[in-house]
Structure formats: structure tokens, C-alpha cells
Amino acid sequence: MGVVKGNFGDIIVTYSLKFVYGVATRVFFMSERKYRTRGQRLSMGQAGRLGAEAKVNRELAIIDELTGLLNRRGLTDEVEGFMPIADRGYMTLSLLVFDLDNFKNINDTYGHPEGDLALIEVAKILRKFFREGDILSRFGGDEFCVLMIASDTESSEKRAEELRQVIELMSNDDESIELSISGGVVTYELKEGWESIYTRADECLYNAKQEGGNQIWGSEGKITIATVELGH
């Protein structure tokens, strides 16, 4: 009987140990899974934050801080996205490049803060004047670029000259600093690429400057249209 009792006691102890071990094991793995899941959630949260930060950094890299327009990098990225479509003949693109006449004199006479306000005002005019789908950029300094989407030579030249007149009229309409612009506008030619179209527009801008400024030039020379009146 003593042996039987001893064996029975050993069996009880053995099963008790197995039970305790089983419970402890389940608790361990449940805890591990809980913390592992929490860790995964943290990783997903961190990934979300990193994604948001990357988006913000991306926007900061392509947006001009002063005007809120695209900067040089942002513009070239947009242009390169549209060019394959234009190369297939599905879309007409035109590029306007312009700068403010005598901008250095504005900074020297009124100070850089006033010069900055002039740039901001031009950016506001661009937003109101061009269509929502057109690409607006402060390319650097006082130089601006506008990529006009689905715009042929005739319509883009007309629009560019109207812009020149509007800026001139608005700056003369109150006591603000008098502003005028000189620019060049050209239409994209198949397969020419960004550097080519920009160079051609910049050459037209140069011609406008050489002829005294406050004018827009296209591939065929100075552009003239009927006078624009504010409010019309």
C-alpha cells in the first residue's frame, strides 16, 4: 500500500507540474503575442508618421517658401510628367518664362521686404489669372514660369500678353510699387525635352529685355493684342 500511495503521489505531483508548466507556457506565449502585436502596431504607427513626414519633406522640397508656388525642382518634375503625353500628340503644352523689370532697383530703393511683397503679389495674380490645371512656378529670384496645359501657340501668346497688361494695370491702379514684366512664350515641339523648350522661351525673354522690357515675345517676335481693361 505504501508503494501504491507513493506511486499515486508521484503521479499527482507529475500531473501538477505538467499543469503548472502548461499554464505558465500559455501565459508566456499569450504575453509574447500581446507585446509582439503591440510592437507591430507601434511599427505601423511609426511607419505612418514616417510616411507623413516624408510627404511634408517632399512638399517642402518642391514648394517655394515665399510665394507658395512650385520651385524649380517642382516645375521640372511636373513638366517631365506631361511631356510623354505631349510627345504622343495627345496634348499641347506652352511655356511662359518671365521676370520683373528692374527688380533690383525695387530692392535697392524700397528694401528687400517690399521686393518680397512684390513677388508675393505677382504669385497671387498668377493664381487668379491662370486656369487651375496650369502649372505655376517661381523659378528663382524674380523669374516665374507658367506651363499652360492644352494651350496652343495662339492662345498661349494671347494669355501671356494679357498677363503683362494686367500686372501693369494693377500696379498703376493704386499707390503700390509700379511693376512690369518681360517674358517669352513658346509651344512645345515633339520630343524636344525640357531644356530645349526652356531655352527657347528664355531666348524670347532675352529679346524682350533687349527691346526695352515690359513686353512679351514669342517665336515670331513681339506679341501685340488688344488692350486689356480691368474688370473685363
Side-chain angles (χ1 to χ4, degrees), residues 140-172:
D142 63 319
E143 182 176 314
F144 293 82
C145 292
V146 179
L147 182 69
M148 289 176 269
I149 309 299
S151 181
D152 59 18
T153 299
E154 182 180 358
S155 59
S156 61
E157 288 183 351
K158 180 176 183 292
R159 201 63 176 152
E161 172 59 16
E162 287 174 344
L163 173 68
R164 184 199 66 78
Q165 293 186 27
V166 166
I167 290 177
E168 183 179 30
L169 287 170
M170 290 187 69
S171 66
N172 292 332

Side-chain angles (χ1 to χ4, degrees), residues 188-219:
Y188 181 72
E189 297 177 353
L190 295 182
K191 307 294 185 180
E192 73 169 322
W194 162 248
E195 292 297 334
S196 175
I197 188 175
Y198 175 79
T199 298
R200 292 195 296 116
D202 193 51
E203 288 173 353
C204 292
L205 165 59
Y206 176 79
N207 292 334
K209 289 288 191 183
Q210 288 296 103
E211 293 300 317
N214 194 20
Q215 51 190 281
I216 302 293
W217 276 54
S219 299

